[in-house]
Amino acid sequence: MLLADMGADVIKIEKPNGGDDTRRYGPPFIEGESAAFLTLNRNKRSIVLDLKSEQGLAIVRHMLEDADVMIHNFRPGVVDRMGLAFEDVSALNPAIVYCTVSGFGTTGPYSSRAGFDLVAQGMSGLMSINGFPDSPPAKVGVPMADLNTGMFCAYGILTAYINRLVTGKGQHVDASLIESGIAYTLYESATYFATGEVAGPLGSAHRMIAPYQAFATQDGYINIGAANQNNWERMCRAVGREDLLDDERFASNPERMVSIDALTPIMEETFRTQTTDHWVKTLEKAGVPCGPIYNMKQVYADPHVQSREMAVPLEHPKAGSIRNIGVPVKLSDTPGSVRTPAPLLGQHSDEVLTEFGYEDTDVTAFKDAGVLG
């Protein structure tokens, strides 16, 4: 999706009899189309191929001869049996960038295991640091390991592609859910490496700076980011708590972290005296980073979010008028865009095979044989 947003021609190869499992994620569904699938698959084209047939594999191999990138998420060993391992594909096309996505990577004792986001969040440590102290393990609300792996794949693919522009040679990009989860435990891993201490969950609080968390207000919550000494001092003056500036327990960030159990109830008592809107306006005027905590309806009602075009209208051939998340990084000369809605299953099968040199009679024969959908 990230590559497609920036202009790559992404051809999604789906299995017969239902295609990508994400097509059945839900509810919600819009005219039978999964809202999750619609979000993840914009700007892509869909073809249906039976990769259990030799004819289907032959079509894929033919397509790979001219492809820049191949991405797959089969378990290790499956592509070997299909003749689509990195060594096989690079023999067909030495310039191809070949990306493997898996739960645990292509090497190591767990390489043959199946992997899902939930499993990776647990085994990467993310669930041990999420939630509140003394609460059961909690996963991050979004599929963090899945999404991070996609981000690292895009990063790896583009890095390999830049190298290919210089050398003319492709390479294997190997990304896993567990490693992508571990890579985001920056402070927690740093603490363990430095001290041997095992970090636990802190709710919305920061592990190394304070006050940097959500506080209840008269009518909701507010996030406060007094992440350095200047912001701390500005915050104290803005909320009428200049007395805290003279309290030795809170003199600097290390002291505030040591005395966090004393500081937090003081901050909670202070912020409960006024509404979220009052505090946001007061703190913004003082130059203190802060913000309300939105639900998704409030996110897309925010005028700044609207001005940054983070909700994009689309027309889907079956679902009708829909919206999708906008492109989050803006380029001045070559901006990304959400150009087309998620495809119907096999919507582009005929079109794509024609582009790869197959005749109409070939396409018809493939369909008659059940190879193409």
Side-chain angles (χ1 to χ4, degrees):
M1 186 192 77
L2 297 173
L3 299 174
D5 284 354
M6 291 300 171
D9 179 13
V10 175
I11 299 169
K12 182 181 182 73
I13 298 178
E14 301 190 64
K15 61 188 177 184
N17 302 317
D20 184 350
D21 290 339
T22 314
R23 290 185 178 275
R24 290 170 288 284
Y25 280 19
F29 296 93
I30 306 173
E31 299 298 327
E33 298 294 307
S34 163
F37 183 87
L38 293 175
T39 299
L40 288 165
N41 290 281
R42 80 266 190 108
N43 290 335
K44 301 178 187 178
R45 297 195 287 172
S46 168
I47 71 172
V48 173
L49 280 177
D50 180 6
L51 298 185
K52 294 182 178 179
S53 72
E54 185 51 46
Q55 208 168 26
L57 290 172
I59 294 170
V60 170
R61 293 189 190 102
H62 175 67
M63 294 172 67
L64 289 171
E65 291 175 0
D66 292 320
D68 293 305
V69 180
M70 172 181 168
I71 306 169
H72 78 81
N73 66 340
F74 292 109
R75 288 194 204 185
V78 174
V79 287
D80 299 87
R81 294 193 295 272
M82 298 167 72
L84 293 176
F86 171 63
E87 294 75 18
D88 302 314
V89 175
S90 61
L92 292 171
N93 180 355
I96 200 164
V97 175
Y98 181 105
C99 181
T100 300
V101 184
S102 63
F104 296 92
T106 59
T107 62
Y110 301 158
S111 61
S112 63
R113 287 190 185 181
F116 283 100
D117 175 82
L118 179 65
V119 175
Q121 285 203 34
M123 294 182 68
S124 66
L126 289 173
M127 289 179 66
S128 75
I129 57 176
N130 194 42
F132 286 82
D134 302 319
S135 67
K139 76 178 187 71
V140 181
V142 298
M144 185 64 75
D146 278 352
L147 297 176
N148 286 347
T149 305
M151 188 75 71
F152 282 125
C153 282
Y155 161 63
I157 288 167
L158 294 175
T159 301
Y161 186 74
I162 291 169
N163 182 71
R164 180 187 118 170
L165 294 176
V166 177
T167 66
K169 184 181 178 182
Q171 60 184 296
H172 188 185
V173 177
D174 181 5
S176 74
L177 303 185
I178 190 169
E179 290 164 289
S180 298
I182 293 169
Y184 272 56
T185 62
L186 297 173
Y187 298 122
E188 293 73 22
S189 289
T191 297
Y192 176 71
F193 293 154
T195 68
E197 295 179 8
V198 175
L202 295 175
S204 64
H206 198 284
R207 208 165 294 283
M208 296 184 175
I209 52 179
Y212 192 92
Q213 66 185 88
F215 293 103
T217 65
Q218 207 173 72
D219 63 349
Y221 288 86
I222 186 172
N223 275 324
I224 301 296
N228 57 45
Q229 192 64 20
N230 287 337
N231 283 331
W232 160 252
E233 294 174 6
R234 283 196 291 264
M235 186 204 71
C236 289
R237 295 188 182 99
V239 302
R241 294 306 305 261
E242 292 89 343
D243 59 301
L244 298 179
L245 298 175
D246 298 322
D247 193 321
E248 292 184 359
R249 295 175 299 171
F250 313 132
S252 68
N253 184 69
E255 279 81 13
R256 290 193 290 277
M257 288 302 301
V258 170
S259 304
I260 190 69
D261 290 339
L263 177 61
T264 299
I266 294 172
M267 293 289 93
E268 289 176 340
E269 180 183 8
T270 300
F271 286 111
R272 283 187 184 276
T273 62
Q274 296 288 348
T275 65
T276 298
D277 185 63
H278 169 86
W279 288 127
V280 168
K281 290 177 179 177
T282 299
L283 292 167
E284 282 185 348
K285 186 177 179 180
V288 179
C290 67
I293 297 176
Y294 285 161
N295 60 36
M296 296 313 301
K297 181 177 181 179
Q298 291 168 320
V299 168
Y300 290 109
D302 187 286
H304 181 79
V305 174
Q306 293 174 358
S307 75
R308 297 289 289 176
E309 298 182 336
M310 285 306 294
V312 180
L314 287 169
E315 284 296 321
H316 186 272
K318 186 177 176 184
S321 296
I322 60 174
R323 290 190 294 170
N324 209 313
I325 302 171
V327 179
V329 57
K330 275 67 174 175
L331 276 64
S332 60
D333 291 342
T334 56
S337 62
V338 182
R339 301 173 301 282
T340 60
L344 299 173
L345 180 61
Q347 181 178 343
H348 304 99
S349 294
D350 294 17
E351 171 185 300
V352 168
L353 262 62
T354 300
E355 291 175 11
F356 278 87
Y358 291 100
E359 301 292 338
D360 291 346
T361 51
D362 297 322
V363 173
T364 300
F366 293 148
K367 288 184 175 180
D368 289 344
V371 172
L372 181 70

